[in-house]
Amino acid sequence: MKTWIAAALAALITLPVHAADAGAVRVEPIAFTTSADSVQRKQSIKGDQTAEYKLNAKAGQMLTVDFKPSNTSAYFNITAKGADYALFNGSIMGNHFLGTLPSDGEYTVQVYLMRNAARRNEVANYDLSLRLVNGDTTLQKPFDQTLELQGIAFHVSTEQVGDKPTLRIAPKGLEIDNTVIIQALSGDVVRAEVADLNNDGSPELYVFTRSPGRGMPGELIAYSANNKKSLSEIYLPPVSDNPKTAEGYQGEDSFAVVENTLVQRFPVYDSADAGAGRTGKMRQVQYKLVAGEAGWILREDKVTEF
């Protein structure tokens, strides 16, 4: 699987809007109102059929998409009207999206089957949830998920301690220290993933958070299971460490694990000034996990813009 990492990462940037072969297309307009900012659909596709859900949004609004298919070959993409390439590619990034939309206009959430499954005329039943809110709307919801890799499990949950949101990480299976980690949160936990980015046979846990609103950075909370014995924190340098990468940066980050790389995405503004406008572009930073003097560091590996 690792042999196609370069191709997969390239596809994250250059995948054409339509991932499936041309076939029957079901188009459904989605309208959000101030009293109903979310919609759910329980539908299905078969073979080379696709479903397209079209919605109008403004720059800075936050879109959440949750996709639960019965067929593991079913995915969704997100594209902006007039764009040549997908803003989000589900076959690489998974079945959950939460991000700030870069420009005003029409967006399409396209549900499809991968080509091999489509050619076998397979069926995919799915539950699709869409939510669109303004950037200043609070999205905090309890998070509770258990992830496991290489015999090590992590129970990741959020709770209110007093009036402060708190992250709780309970490891299981470590040889020496399975102490629960508790730390304060400055944003909402939007997803968590386990991976082995440095291929050392011991997993890492990556927890991604977001604070709604312009200028609010995403946050990564990450730990490595050192030789499956105990946890140590992974350090992600701030974007400002690289002045070129930081040009036009105003937060609104999203993160994902893609093979042996951590990917960070954010919209690009004309400048770092508070009144600057969006350029309509997204910047993507890829990081490799390397050993530092006192622990693990995510080191910038490649920067692209689209």
Side-chain angles (χ1 to χ4, degrees):
M1 184 173 287
K2 299 181 181 65
T3 58
W4 56 269
I5 176 60
L9 289 171
L12 189 61
I13 302 298
T14 61
L15 184 77
V17 168
H18 298 289
D21 289 334
V25 180
R26 183 176 70 244
V27 178
E28 180 180 346
I30 300 295
F32 298 96
T33 66
T34 54
S35 59
D37 59 14
S38 64
V39 298
Q40 288 77 39
R41 293 293 184 267
K42 192 170 185 176
Q43 296 175 328
S44 66
I45 54 173
K46 181 179 180 180
D48 60 2
Q49 295 175 341
T50 62
E52 295 185 354
Y53 302 90
K54 296 184 179 293
L55 57 102
N56 289 306
K58 294 185 178 297
Q61 287 188 300
M62 296 184 71
L63 176 65
T64 305
V65 182
D66 282 304
F67 182 61
K68 297 178 181 178
S70 64
N71 190 319
T72 56
S73 293
Y75 295 98
F76 73 91
N77 290 347
I78 302 174
T79 59
K81 186 175 183 178
D84 293 327
Y85 303 105
L87 176 67
F88 176 86
N89 174 8
S91 65
I92 296 174
M93 301 292 282
N95 288 333
H96 175 82
F97 170 83
L98 186 149
T100 305
L101 299 178
S103 58
D104 294 356
E106 183 182 83
Y107 290 83
T108 299
V109 178
Q110 179 197 43
V111 176
Y112 62 93
L113 279 161
M114 295 296 286
R115 190 165 287 112
N116 287 341
R119 287 173 177 169
R120 292 192 294 267
N121 210 32
E122 293 182 10
V123 174
N125 302 311
Y126 61 87
D127 293 328
L128 181 72
S129 174
L130 306 171
R131 188 182 187 204
L132 184 69
V133 298
N134 293 327
D136 58 356
T137 301
T138 301
L139 296 176
Q140 183 70 30
K141 291 183 178 180
F143 185 92
D144 193 313
Q145 187 175 357
T146 298
L147 305 101
E148 185 173 354
L149 182 66
Q150 298 165 330
I152 308 298
F154 303 93
H155 180 205
V156 182
S157 59
T158 58
E159 57 185 10
Q160 290 291 124
V161 178
D163 60 349
K164 296 181 180 179
T166 303
L167 175 68
R168 186 178 189 272
I169 300 172
K172 184 178 180 181
L174 296 171
E175 295 177 13
I176 296 177
D177 188 358
N178 286 282
T179 302
V180 173
I181 296 172
I182 297 177
Q183 64 184 85
L185 285 171
S186 57
D188 305 344
V189 173
V190 295
R191 66 189 298 184
E193 296 188 50
V194 287
D196 184 7
L197 298 193
N198 58 354
N199 300 311
D200 66 352
S202 294
E204 309 100 34
L205 172 69
Y206 298 91
V207 180
F208 312 125
T209 78
R210 276 291 306 274
S211 296
R214 176 170 172 166
M216 301 300 291
E219 182 183 5
L220 172 72
I221 300 170
Y223 289 89
S224 174
N226 299 308
N227 296 317
K228 298 185 178 180
K229 297 182 183 296
S230 61
L231 296 182
S232 63
E233 196 164 3
I234 297 172
Y235 175 67
L236 174 67
V239 173
S240 58
D241 278 9
N242 185 331
K244 187 172 182 179
T245 302
E247 289 180 359
Y249 173 73
Q250 294 210 26
E252 305 171 28
D253 320 64
S254 60
F255 296 90
V257 172
V258 182
E259 287 294 307
N260 62 342
T261 302
L262 178 78
V263 173
Q264 178 184 22
R265 274 183 169 186
F266 51 85
V268 181
Y269 284 81
D270 292 323
S271 71
D273 297 337
R278 291 171 177 263
T279 65
K281 295 182 178 180
M282 300 288 288
R283 188 168 296 145
Q284 178 170 289
V285 187
Q286 296 167 206
Y287 298 91
K288 296 286 188 180
L289 182 64
V290 300
E293 293 182 3
W296 296 98
I297 299 174
L298 287 160
R299 180 172 295 163
E300 185 178 298
D301 182 57
K302 182 179 180 182
V303 180
T304 51
E305 198 167 286
F306 57 98

